[in-house]
Amino acid sequence: MSSHGDPIPMTSHPTGALTGVAEIPGDKSISHRALILGALAVGETRISGLLEGQDVLDTAAAMRAFGADVRDHGGGTWSVHGVGVGGFAEPQDVIDCGNSGTGVRLIMGAMSTTPITATFTGDASLRSRPMGRITDPLAKFGAQAHGRSGGRLPITIEGALTPVPVDYTLPMPSAQVKSAILLAGLNAPGTTIVREAEATRDHTERMLRGFGAEVDVSEEGGSRTIQLDGYPELEPQDIAVPRDPSSAAFPVCAALITEGSDVLVPGIGLNPTRAGLYLTLRDMGADLTFENEREEGGEPVADLRARFSPDMKGVDVPPERAASMIDEYPVLSVVASFAEGKTHMPGVKELRVKESDRIDTMARGLEANGVSVDEGEDWWTVHGCGPKSVSGGGTVAARLDHRIAMSFLVLGMGAKSAVTVDDAGPIATSFPIFEPLMKSLGGQLERTRR
Ligand code: S3P
């Protein structure tokens, strides 16, 4: 469902203290994977805490189009009656993944070793993003892709008739590419191998194991080799989706920059391949505590508490941490604007090919709000204004990017003057309750008339 309605301009006014408990929805990455692996298992998978954001709803619709019986039982509980590895049916219509790079890339992988043909598209943001990074490795399995110039959507994939296993070294740190290859490898004979120089999020490996696949991971000096045996019979599972650390970042960061704030965010997934933001905030001097650390559904979780932190200092973010916080650089740059000194963020070329070019989109938006930024192809530096010293007052183009929209609405809460984003609509892709949740903590968000 790529139809994006009329833009929803939204203004965030400076607030007093943000306080209370922030109940964050389910993890987006894990929600996509639960639906896709559920569709590839034989029998019924039950999922609780599924993120009901548009990205995940689009993946649910796609799994139905490939023949799985996907049902919404209300309250975040879903069931998926899967068709088994190799059992996907040919969809009767184009698969529209909306705004979701994760959805389209994982699904292309999952269908590419079954002898069916499917055509994929998405919204204007997704249609501008590179897909050659997926179709290149899928071609090695024997799948053929026909797309627009530059490897852009819409793309038609003809699944391999007699797939062969693949040994592939990721040319860029990407969990989406890694996952597409592993999902393709399910319906290929022998062992499929993916090698990554930096560890990216490992939800696919963890969940594949949970479903009964043979997955072996070896690690050497930060790089990983993942080996998957083909043709497993995936057993349906009960999956409890942990709450999304990437969404939790918004109320947490808002609390750090607004005077008097004290926000508790319970049950947040803290898989080490996702937790880089929280390490970085600690390095900056943020008042952040992790309570009640435990394991839920095979993933480490904790309750996070964030309080106003007037003594934060800029830091050099280690480039080897980038993969574990790749979605959090926009909101980190907001916090960095309220710190003393420079925050330097190297090794982040991948930010240029997200829902928008996130270095450019953030830099232009920060400048419009009185924050200066230096940037290069794969790095950027934010010059902190100090606590309570960001002027704000700007209007920002969010460029169909949910995390940009939320980041600037957070900035407006701590700034001296209100901040407007031109379109808060895309927030529904990942964090549909962002607006009421932030308001319940004391945020002053207003849908602005155009
Ligand atoms: C994701 C992987 C990352 C991330 C995205 C979710 C996933 O993308 O930015 O939001 O669920 O696998 P890349 O694989 O492009 O780094």
Side-chain angles (χ1 to χ4, degrees):
M1 202 208 79
S2 69
S3 57
H4 180 66
D6 287 339
I8 304 173
M10 193 174 281
T11 298
S12 175
H13 297 274
T15 66
L18 298 170
T19 53
V21 178
E23 302 271 359
I24 304 296
D27 189 279
K28 180 152 71 75
S29 291
I30 295 176
S31 295
H32 283 294
R33 287 158 172 80
L35 290 169
I36 295 169
L37 286 183
L40 291 170
V42 179
E44 188 171 285
T45 286
R46 302 283 297 190
I47 308 168
S48 60
L50 188 86
L51 170 66
E52 294 174 344
Q54 192 57 47
D55 278 8
V56 176
L57 298 178
D58 289 341
T59 289
M63 290 303 99
R64 285 192 190 106
F66 282 101
D69 181 7
V70 182
R71 292 184 192 197
D72 174 4
H73 299 276
T77 299
W78 289 62
S79 63
V80 184
H81 202 102
V83 294
V85 168
F88 272 176
E90 185 163 286
Q92 293 180 13
D93 203 346
V94 173
I95 302 295
D96 188 339
C97 289
N99 191 251
S100 181
T102 307
V104 78
R105 291 179 173 138
L106 269 57
I107 297 167
M108 286 201 244
M111 60 73 57
S112 66
T113 45
T114 300
I116 54 173
T117 296
T119 300
F120 296 87
T121 193
D123 70 5
S125 156
L126 194 57
R127 279 184 274 114
S128 74
R129 296 179 68 185
M131 295 296 151
R133 55 177 56 197
I134 296 292
T135 53
D136 288 352
L138 297 186
K140 295 187 186 298
F141 283 98
Q144 288 186 43
H146 311 276
R148 284 166 58 225
S149 58
R152 317 274 157 181
L153 296 174
I155 289 177
T156 297
I157 301 216
E158 287 173 49
L161 195 57
T162 47
V164 291
V166 160
D167 182 340
Y168 196 75
T169 301
L170 295 185
M172 74 291 289
S174 169
Q176 293 175 356
V177 178
K178 171 177 67 176
S179 302
I181 296 167
L182 293 173
L183 293 170
L186 288 172
N187 201 37
T191 305
T192 287
I193 304 174
V194 188
R195 302 171 198 274
E196 53 179 5
E198 299 161 50
T200 64
R201 66 192 66 195
D202 63 355
H203 306 302
T204 304
E205 297 90 303
R206 285 176 187 248
M207 204 181 280
L208 276 168
R209 277 210 196 98
F211 274 85
E214 286 292 329
V215 183
D216 180 72
V217 181
S218 55
E219 205 162 336
E220 213 185 301
S223 56
R224 285 186 179 173
T225 303
I226 302 118
Q227 305 199 42
L228 168 84
D229 290 350
Y231 299 145
E233 177 142 334
L234 300 182
E235 307 260 347
Q237 298 297 303
D238 278 351
I239 299 173
V241 179
R243 297 171 195 263
D244 198 323
S246 299
S247 297
F250 297 102
V252 163
C253 290
L256 299 179
I257 61 169
T258 48
E259 191 162 19
S261 293
D262 185 346
V263 170
L264 180 68
V265 195
I268 292 305
L270 283 177
N271 179 315
T273 61
R274 296 285 299 281
L277 171 74
Y278 298 104
L279 298 177
T280 305
L281 293 173
R282 278 265 188 88
D283 291 348
M284 295 174 81
D287 184 350
L288 199 60
T289 53
F290 301 85
E291 297 162 11
N292 203 6
E293 292 184 34
R294 57 201 186 271
E295 186 150 310
E296 280 177 13
E299 296 273 347
V301 302
D303 304 335
L304 252 90
R305 180 165 216 140
R307 297 184 181 87
F308 176 53
S309 302
D311 300 321
M312 290 187 288
K313 306 270 180 298
V315 292
D316 282 1
V317 183
E320 62 275 13
R321 199 181 278 170
S324 69
M325 53 180 289
I326 196 68
D327 292 338
E328 283 65 71
Y329 282 94
V331 76
L332 172 68
S333 71
V334 168
V335 173
S337 306
F338 291 84
E340 294 287 359
K342 287 190 279 192
T343 293
H344 181 52
M345 296 168 276
V348 291
K349 194 163 72 196
E350 280 294 298
L351 291 180
R352 299 233 178 244
V353 290
K354 295 294 177 188
E355 285 82 333
S356 69
D357 173 342
R358 284 185 171 160
I359 297 178
D360 186 59
T361 316
M362 283 307 299
R364 303 294 79 79
L366 288 171
E367 284 163 1
N369 286 287
V371 181
S372 64
V373 178
D374 300 323
E375 64 179 284
E377 187 47 32
D378 71 343
W379 63 270
W380 52 319
T381 300
V382 170
H383 297 264
C385 304
K388 300 195 282 175
S389 303
V390 174
S391 58
T395 296
V396 172
R399 302 184 190 164
L400 288 182
D401 190 328
H402 54 131
R403 297 199 203 283
I404 301 290
M406 289 187 279
S407 294
F408 281 105
L409 294 170
V410 165
L411 186 124
M413 293 177 192
K416 292 185 198 164
S417 306
V419 173
T420 297
V421 296
D422 65 340
D423 186 10
I427 293 172
T429 61
S430 70
F431 198 166
I433 61 164
F434 174 81
E435 185 185 358
L437 188 143
M438 295 308 293
K439 283 182 174 168
S440 76
L441 300 174
Q444 293 179 33
L445 298 176
E446 181 197 0
R447 291 186 181 222
T448 336
R449 252 184 245 291
R450 280 178 304 142

